[in-house]
Amino acid sequence: MTVRVAINGYGTIGKRVAEAVSLQEDMEVAGVVKRSPTFEAFMAVEWALPLYAASKENIKGFEDAGLPVEGTVEELLDDADIVVDCTPKKAGYKELYQKKKIKAIWQGGEKHELTGLSFNAYPMYEKAYGADLLRIVSCNTTGLIRTLYPLMQEVGVKNVLATMIRRGADPWDSKKGPINAIEPVLKIPSHHGPDVRSVLPSLDIQTTAVAVPTTLMHLHSVAVKLAKDVSADDILEIWDNSPRLMFVDAGMGIKSTAQIMELAKDMERSRGDLYEIAIWEDSVHVVGDMLYYYQAIHQESDVVPENIDAIRAMLQMESDKMQSIERTDRAMGIINPYE
Ligand code: NAD
C-alpha cells in the first residue's frame, strides 16, 4: 500500500518532510503547496514534485514565473490520503481539512489545543493509531522527550530542570535575532516544560530558555533527579538502545554545535541535517540521584522522522511502533540502535 501525502507549506520543515516521504517505500508525495514562486517552488518543480497554489489568486504569479501549477490546495486535498501542514503557525487550515474530511498533521508552532493530541513517536505511536488530527511537538520539545522518556521508562524520573540555549534564527533567516545580545525568556517556566507535558503528562519538568546569536542548533543543559541510583554507564546504555539519539564527545573533536553540524555534512546527510539528538557523552554525569547532561538539537530536522511515523500511525499502516520507527530511520539513513 502506497499512501499519498499532501504537504501544505513548503518551507524549512515542509521541504524536509517532502523528501522524507519520498524516501519511504510505502508513501509518495501527492503535491506541495506554495503561495509564491520562490526558489523553493522552483526546486520543488526541479525535483518533480507536483506544485499547487495556496489559492486561485496565487496561480498567476506561478504562471508568470514559468512554473507549472497543478491546481489549488483544495484540489490537492481531494487527491491525497493525509495532509502534513507545514505552514507558519495559525495559518488557519483546520476548517478546510475538516470540510475535505482529510486527516491532518500540524507542526510545533501550533498549540496542543488545535488537535488535542501532541505527538512524538516513541511515547505516543499507539495513542495516535487511527487519529484524525495531531500536532508534532516542537524541535526543542522533541529533543527533551527523546532523552527523558527512556529514562522515565527504565529508571524513573522525580523531576527535571532543563535550560534551552536557543538559536536566534534558522540559517536562511536574515531578519530575526538577537545578533549581538543574550536574550533570556523572562516567562518562567518557558513554554517548553508545559509542551513536554502535553506528551508526558506525569513528568515534573521546569524549563528556562535563553536566545543567543547563532543559527547552528539549540543546546540543552539538563538536570534530572532520578528515582533510583544508577551509574552514568547505565544511562548511556539506556540511550544507546533508544531511537534517534547519538553520542558525540570532545575526544572526537566535537566541542561545540559548529563541529556537530560539520559532522552531519561529513555524514553526507541531505542539507547537512541531523535528525538524531546529539548527546555529549563526556557531559553525562551522575552525582547521587542527580543526572546532568548536555544535548544539541538540529532545529530544522529532528521533527522530520516524527512526521513519517505519525502518517503511518494515523493511516494505520503499521501497528508496531518500533517497526515504523525502524522503517522510517532506515529509509532516512538515521543511526540505528536496533541491530
Ligand atoms: P517557514 O517559514 O520556513 O515555511 C513555511 C512555508 O509555508 C513557507 O514556504 C511559506 O511560504 C508557506 N506558507 C505561508 N503561509 C501559507 C499559506 N497560507 N498556505 C500555504 N503555504 C503558506 O516555516 P517553518 O520553519 O517550516 O515552520 C513551519 C512549522 O514548523 C511551524 O509550526 C513551526 O513552528 C514548525 N517548526 C519549525 C522549526 C524550525 O526550526 N524552522 C522546527 C520545528 C517546528
Side-chain angles (χ1 to χ4, degrees):
M1 168 174 157
T2 302
V3 299
R4 289 174 58 72
V5 183
I7 293 154
N8 188 13
Y10 190 73
T12 309
I13 300 297
K15 62 188 171 187
R16 288 171 166 84
V17 171
E19 181 181 350
V21 165
S22 64
L23 289 171
Q24 310 300 316
E25 59 188 10
D26 51 353
M27 301 178 192
E28 65 187 11
V29 178
V32 303
V33 182
K34 286 288 297 173
R35 282 190 310 180
S36 55
T38 62
F39 69 92
E40 282 158 331
F42 278 87
M43 290 310 297
V45 171
E46 182 76 19
W47 288 325
L49 296 175
L51 182 64
Y52 288 77
S55 71
K56 279 192 182 129
E57 294 72 51
N58 296 142
I59 290 178
K60 187 167 182 321
F62 290 105
E63 286 174 351
D64 289 350
L67 282 178
V69 183
E70 311 287 331
T72 64
V73 61
E74 300 218 12
E75 289 159 299
L76 173 60
L77 296 177
D78 289 335
D79 187 33
D81 299 302
I82 193 164
V83 57
V84 183
D85 188 306
C86 302
T87 60
K89 63 181 171 185
K90 298 185 183 163
Y93 278 98
K94 185 174 177 181
E95 212 176 299
L96 176 63
Y97 301 154
Q98 291 189 316
K99 188 177 110 192
K100 295 282 183 184
K101 296 189 172 38
I102 188 166
K103 291 180 186 250
I105 296 170
W106 280 268
Q107 308 303 313
E110 309 290 348
K111 295 248 185 306
H112 171 78
E113 291 67 34
L114 181 76
T115 62
L117 183 60
S118 292
F119 183 85
N120 174 271
Y122 200 24
M124 292 299 283
Y125 190 89
E126 288 90 353
K127 287 207 176 91
Y129 203 69
D132 290 330
L133 311 174
L134 64 71
R135 167 188 85 117
I136 310 291
V137 291
S138 75
C139 50
N140 278 310
T141 305
T142 295
L144 289 169
I145 291 170
R146 290 244 186 102
T147 46
L148 292 171
Y149 180 65
L151 298 181
M152 291 170 75
Q153 296 290 98
E154 303 290 330
V155 185
V157 170
K158 286 193 173 156
N159 59 58
V160 179
L161 171 61
T163 298
M164 257 60 60
I165 298 149
R166 296 166 52 199
R167 59 94 177 96
D170 283 337
W172 61 268
D173 189 343
S174 54
K175 290 281 196 297
K176 288 188 192 146
I179 57 169
N180 186 25
I182 297 171
E183 192 175 302
V185 174
L186 297 175
K187 183 172 173 290
I188 297 178
S190 64
H191 73 273
H192 308 92
D195 205 32
V196 170
R197 275 202 295 269
S198 70
V199 171
L200 306 174
S202 66
L203 184 64
D204 180 356
I205 179 167
Q206 297 297 327
T207 51
T208 58
V210 180
V212 294
T214 177
T215 64
L216 302 179
M217 311 187 86
H218 304 294
L219 187 130
H220 296 172
S221 169
V222 190
V224 183
K225 192 173 174 63
L226 299 165
K228 64 178 188 215
D229 286 355
V230 291
S231 67
D233 285 344
D234 296 330
I235 301 290
L236 291 171
E237 194 180 331
I238 291 167
W239 284 335
D240 201 26
N241 292 313
S242 304
R244 298 172 184 160
L245 301 174
M246 68 181 278
F247 296 116
V248 295
D249 65 74
M252 61 196 276
I254 298 191
K255 298 182 179 172
S256 77
T257 53
Q259 287 101 37
I260 297 176
M261 287 286 83
E262 192 64 15
L263 171 65
K265 288 181 207 156
D266 288 353
M267 289 162 78
E268 297 190 341
R269 287 295 174 79
S270 182
R271 300 183 173 85
D273 285 347
L274 193 71
Y275 310 109
E276 299 88 343
I277 304 307
I279 304 165
W280 259 282
E281 191 168 342
D282 348 29
S283 76
V284 178
H285 193 59
V286 174
V287 184
D289 60 358
M290 291 300 297
L291 162 69
Y292 304 93
Y293 61 97
Y294 288 119
Q295 62 180 17
I297 314 299
H298 188 225
Q299 70 275 358
E300 301 137 85
S301 69
D302 69 333
V303 299
V304 175
E306 309 297 337
N307 277 271
I308 301 300
D309 293 323
I311 294 169
R312 277 208 194 90
M314 293 167 78
L315 293 177
Q316 300 179 308
M317 297 163 68
E318 169 61 71
S319 57
D320 181 326
K321 117 177 131 181
M322 293 317 293
Q323 286 288 331
S324 176
I325 290 175
E326 197 174 333
R327 283 167 73 182
T328 304
D329 291 2
R330 277 187 204 285
M332 295 177 70
I334 292 173
I335 290 173
N336 182 352
Y338 325 110
E339 56 192 11

